[in-house]
Amino acid sequence: MQDQESSGRWDSLGSRDANSRIEAMENIHLEVMRKVEAIGPIPAPAPSPPASGSPPSSELNHILAHLLMLSKRCPFEDVRERCIRLLQSVQDLGVRIPRPLGNGPSRFIPEKEILQVSKVDARTQSIFEDAFAALGRLDNISLVMGFHPQYLESFLRTQHYLLQMDGPLSLHYRHYIGIMAAARHQCSYLVNQHVENFLHFGGDPKWLNGLGEAPQKLQQLGELNKILAHRPWLLTKEHIERLLKAEEHSWSLAELIHAVVLLTHYHSLASFTFGCGIMPEIHCEGGHTFRPPSLSQYCVCDIANGNGHANHHDDPFGNEVSGKGRCVEVLMERMKQLQECRDDEEASQEEMATRFEREKTESMLVVTAEDEECVPPRDISRHFEDPSYGYKDFSRRGEHVPTFRVQDYSWEDHGFSLVNRLYPDVGQMLDEKFQMAYNLTYNTMATHKDVDTSMLRRAIWNYIHCMFGIRYDDYDYGEINQLLDRSFKIYIKTMVCSPEKTTKRMYESFWRQFQHSEKVHVNLLLMEARMQAELLYALRAITRYMT
């Protein structure tokens, strides 16, 4: 499978021409059968086979895992069916085939709901086919985002441009920066994805031994990565100057903009990955096993992740499970009352500023779940320095961080043009993606239709920016407490600030009556609001350096 001819066969499975796919599958079938025959006679299975039994050939293992992934994830039904038949043929010859670990792309969302999306939406199916043709796979993040095809299209276009198209940074540098960014949040899903791509684009395997093995230029990005991921309000023009004036290891302004966009993209994508409970890809480590199923049908990881029976009735946030938390009708009534109050009277600027400070202070009292140190595993922590450095509220320990007023430096008036000038087209793509997440609506809330959700979407976006010390002068922060209840705030803060601590119970505890597609929409909002907040601090620091 390593040579170009073999690689071309797998690529052809993404063709929109059915005959090309059939021919490719026939060639793959012959190749697999040759490898099975090369193993020699397969002994008859013992009455109770050893749990660790697996095919003798690691290359065959790899191919069978790839076929399993295609049988579940390929958007073309004919390829899925042929992969199932081929795996069955291999099993009939006595070779143990892999089975998936877990149930679907997400630990939080039933697989049938996710996979149903492309069956009923032709546009989503077309996007999935394009993504599969470009990458040779359809990853779990895209499948979950498929609830919102308009957004998914914008997301994939932006990510493809950042990673594949012409830009200031070489391709292997881009993936290494992706590894650095995802590692800050211990996101092994994204780290593993970029390790694979880094090596594919000719990256030096030694760099993967740890950040200390990477070039000095990339090592210097470690400080920026750390601050942006956890405390972006501490970023100054001096940090920027150190990167741009490092003699032979200096970054150019264009390279730095590209790096900043990649770092913020993957910090926020790590939030989405944990917030939606994204599972490892089927063909990757942790996504499949050659072991037979256990008697209980539960693997240890399911129980640890809250998928066992015993965990479904506990609620650490004190909500009555049967009571559905704050019901949709109450939330809709609050929105209506707030709109009427807005129409009747307008608070003074002084009162608005006071309400922002109050909400900012209250956001610090919202404790993320399991508020303790998470020690990252060695294979993740080696990609960054100072693993003990994490999110800390900006006004603790007597620190006073001035409020970032959007009127003084906004994405629309300042950040957008800076990015577009130094990295053409990216500013436009990011702007479309931000707007898509912010304005996306189907005018529904749970089972209710024809609902204007703009007030709720704005409250969520502005609450996240408030946690980062960013203030909109024209927004009444008193609305946030009316619309976002405590369990929802805990979920938001954990997912945005310490996403590696997000749990299934937290996901289930907010907005119990809402559909999974609506919760995924919330996660898109959180991801984009976080990315924009980080970008604003980084771009403001770069602007201050330039002036």
Side-chain angles (χ1 to χ4, degrees), residues 8-233:
R9 289 182 201 128
W10 296 92
D11 290 346
S12 297
L13 296 179
S15 170
R16 288 188 185 271
D17 175 47
N19 290 328
S20 298
R21 298 196 300 270
I22 291 168
E23 185 182 344
M25 274 307 307
E26 285 172 354
N27 288 327
I28 289 166
H29 187 282
L30 291 172
E31 184 179 350
V32 170
M33 286 307 177
R34 273 199 303 272
K35 290 187 185 301
V36 171
E37 287 164 13
I39 296 172
I42 308 287
S48 62
S52 58
S54 62
S57 160
S58 62
E59 190 182 350
L60 182 57
N61 275 5
H62 182 76
I63 293 173
L64 294 177
H66 201 76
L67 287 169
L68 177 67
M69 178 273 288
L70 291 169
S71 75
K72 298 281 187 182
R73 298 285 180 263
C74 182
F76 298 105
E77 189 175 5
D78 58 316
V79 173
R80 292 198 302 273
E81 289 174 353
R82 285 169 181 269
C83 288
I84 291 168
R85 288 205 298 270
L86 178 50
L87 285 167
Q88 186 62 55
S89 300
V90 170
Q91 188 175 40
D92 291 345
L93 291 171
V95 173
R96 179 168 291 163
I97 61 169
R99 62 183 179 85
L101 279 173
N103 301 306
S106 163
R107 285 191 291 115
F108 301 168
I109 306 169
E111 181 174 25
K112 63 179 184 292
E113 278 200 44
I114 296 171
L115 300 184
Q116 187 64 28
V117 172
S118 61
K119 291 177 183 168
V120 297
D121 191 309
R123 180 180 184 178
T124 308
Q125 174 66 18
S126 178
I127 295 168
F128 283 174
E129 289 174 5
D130 289 342
F132 185 84
L135 300 170
R137 59 182 165 73
L138 188 58
D139 66 26
N140 290 340
I141 285 177
S142 298
L143 283 164
V144 172
M145 285 183 182
F147 280 116
H148 306 287
Q150 275 181 292
Y151 174 86
L152 174 61
E153 207 164 21
S154 177
F155 172 85
L156 290 174
R157 184 168 56 245
T158 305
Q159 186 167 259
H160 177 72
Y161 195 91
L162 289 174
L163 293 176
Q164 245 74 58
M165 303 300 283
D166 287 345
L169 295 173
S170 60
L171 297 183
H172 67 292
Y173 257 55
R174 301 179 199 195
H175 289 289
Y176 196 82
I177 290 168
I179 294 168
M180 290 173 64
R184 278 267 33 135
H185 283 308
Q186 306 168 36
C187 187
S188 55
Y189 174 90
L190 291 174
V191 168
N192 293 338
Q193 213 173 65
H194 286 288
V195 164
E196 188 182 320
N197 289 324
F198 171 76
L199 294 171
H200 175 76
F201 287 110
D204 186 342
K206 281 194 298 206
W207 298 7
L208 300 176
N209 293 333
L211 188 57
E213 299 282 335
Q216 188 69 30
K217 185 171 177 175
L218 281 167
Q219 289 183 42
Q220 286 177 325
L221 206 60
E223 182 79 0
L224 180 67
N225 181 28
K226 176 176 84 172
I227 294 172
L228 269 181
H230 304 298
R231 306 173 203 173
W233 48 87

Side-chain angles (χ1 to χ4, degrees), residues 517-532:
S517 61
E518 292 173 305
K519 291 194 172 193
V520 171
H521 183 188
V522 166
N523 286 346
L524 296 178
L525 264 177
L526 304 189
M527 173 172 75
E528 295 298 346
R530 177 192 174 168
M531 182 178 181
Q532 192 181 93

